[in-house]
């Protein structure tokens, strides 16, 4: 997922509205219905608030098994996390009716740092062996709300900063088991997750 913020707490994260349609996923595990598109800043801000809303011991980004992937999920989308560096394997139960959004690699920092980060940002994702086309989201001004003890900023508060990264957006997945492989990097930073997604109709997440 993500680099930890490269700047002080004043320049860190935020949560706000909707999520969008998959771009060229071509995966058999994806249902035909498409979620409505949304601005990238909205997606990045919401995701960063989600990532910063949980303390470190139960935070989805710090999670090594997937047991905490359901923490603080919004009603209209299902966020997946990367890592603070390195690769992990996670098993996550996902409601069938939710679109899925996740970063391949991302950062929240200053506008200039985002520009440098995106120069070397690269990544790929596959769903059930089929490539998912990533989106570049650059220099979005986002507002982020973070909870106490979170591993992103370490403190409660609401801040405004810039967010950037490579992202993927998938329509709701068909019921069953799916394998999602995520890899991303920028400069010397590397992140990756091997997800087993268990999609169940009418799941209570």
């Amino acid at each position: 997922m993500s680099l930890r913020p490269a700047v002080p707490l004043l320049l860190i994260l935020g949560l706000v509205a909707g999520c969008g349609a998959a771009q060229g996923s071509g995966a058999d595990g994806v249902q035909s219905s498409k979620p409505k598109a949304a601005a990238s800043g909205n997606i990045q801000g919401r995701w960063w608030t989600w990532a910063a809303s949980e303390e470190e011991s139960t935070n989805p980004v710090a999670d090594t098994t997937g047991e905490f992937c359901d923490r603080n999920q919004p009603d209209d989308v299902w966020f997946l996390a990367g890592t603070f560096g390195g690769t992990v394997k996670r098993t996550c139960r996902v409601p069938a009716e939710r679109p899925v959004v996740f970063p391949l690699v991302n950062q929240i920092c200053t506008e200039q740092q985002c520009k440098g980060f995106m120069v070397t940002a690269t990544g790929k994702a596959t769903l059930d062996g089929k490539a998912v086309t990533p989106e570049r989201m650059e220099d979005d001004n986002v507002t982020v709300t973070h909870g106490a003890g979170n591993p992103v900023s370490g403190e409660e508060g609401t801040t405004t900063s810039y967010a950037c990264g490579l992202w993927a957006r998938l329509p709701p997945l068909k019921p069953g088991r799916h394998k999602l492989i995520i890899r991303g990097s920028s400069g010397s930073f590397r992140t990756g997750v091997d997800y087993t997604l268990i999609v169940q109709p009418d799941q209570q997440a």
Side-chain angles (χ1 to χ4, degrees), residues 11-91:
L11 297 172
I12 306 182
L13 322 91
L15 154 47
V16 193
C19 132
Q23 294 197 351
S25 69
D28 291 338
V30 176
Q31 293 183 0
S32 59
S33 59
K34 304 271 183 164
K36 293 181 180 179
S40 61
N42 202 26
I43 292 168
Q44 293 197 92
R46 292 189 70 187
W47 186 93
W48 276 108
T49 292
W50 171 74
S53 63
E54 190 74 19
E55 65 180 346
E56 184 156 12
S57 63
T58 52
N59 191 282
V61 184
D63 184 9
T64 59
T65 65
E67 64 177 312
F68 303 120
C69 71
D70 61 344
R71 294 297 177 114
N72 303 310
Q73 291 285 356
D75 293 336
D76 61 334
V77 65
W78 193 269
F79 289 130
L80 294 176
T83 72
F84 287 120
T87 301
V88 299
K89 293 183 179 181
R90 296 179 181 141
T91 298

Side-chain angles (χ1 to χ4, degrees), residues 116-130:
F117 179 81
M118 293 303 291
V119 169
T120 58
T122 185
K124 61 181 180 180
T126 60
L127 177 64
D128 298 330
K130 296 189 177 183

Side-chain angles (χ1 to χ4, degrees), residues 120-199:
T120 58
T122 185
K124 61 181 180 180
T126 60
L127 177 64
D128 298 330
K130 296 189 177 183
V132 176
T133 303
E135 300 176 59
R136 292 180 66 88
M137 298 185 187
E138 303 186 46
D139 302 337
D140 285 324
N141 195 350
V142 298
T143 300
V144 178
T145 302
H146 15 185
N150 76 84
V152 179
S153 67
E155 300 180 23
E156 284 185 282
T158 299
T159 56
T160 299
S161 187
Y162 285 87
C164 51
L166 300 177
W167 291 80
R169 298 187 267 184
L170 301 174
L173 302 178
K174 295 177 181 178
R177 296 175 73 93
H178 302 280
K179 192 70 174 179
L180 177 65
I181 307 298
I182 304 169
R183 296 291 185 272
S185 67
S186 178
S188 61
F189 178 76
R190 300 287 186 275
T191 181
V193 185
D194 295 350
Y195 272 107
T196 298
L197 303 179
I198 302 172
V199 181

Side-chain angles (χ1 to χ4, degrees), residues 77-127:
V77 65
W78 193 269
F79 289 130
L80 294 176
T83 72
F84 287 120
T87 301
V88 299
K89 293 183 179 181
R90 296 179 181 141
T91 298
C92 182
R93 296 184 179 275
V94 180
E97 71 278 8
R98 304 272 188 95
V100 177
V101 174
F102 56 91
L104 281 60
V105 64
N106 62 333
Q107 186 175 32
I108 192 160
C109 50
T110 66
E111 183 177 13
Q112 191 60 37
Q113 285 169 323
C114 261
K115 290 182 185 299
F117 179 81
M118 293 303 291
V119 169
T120 58
T122 185
K124 61 181 180 180
T126 60
L127 177 64

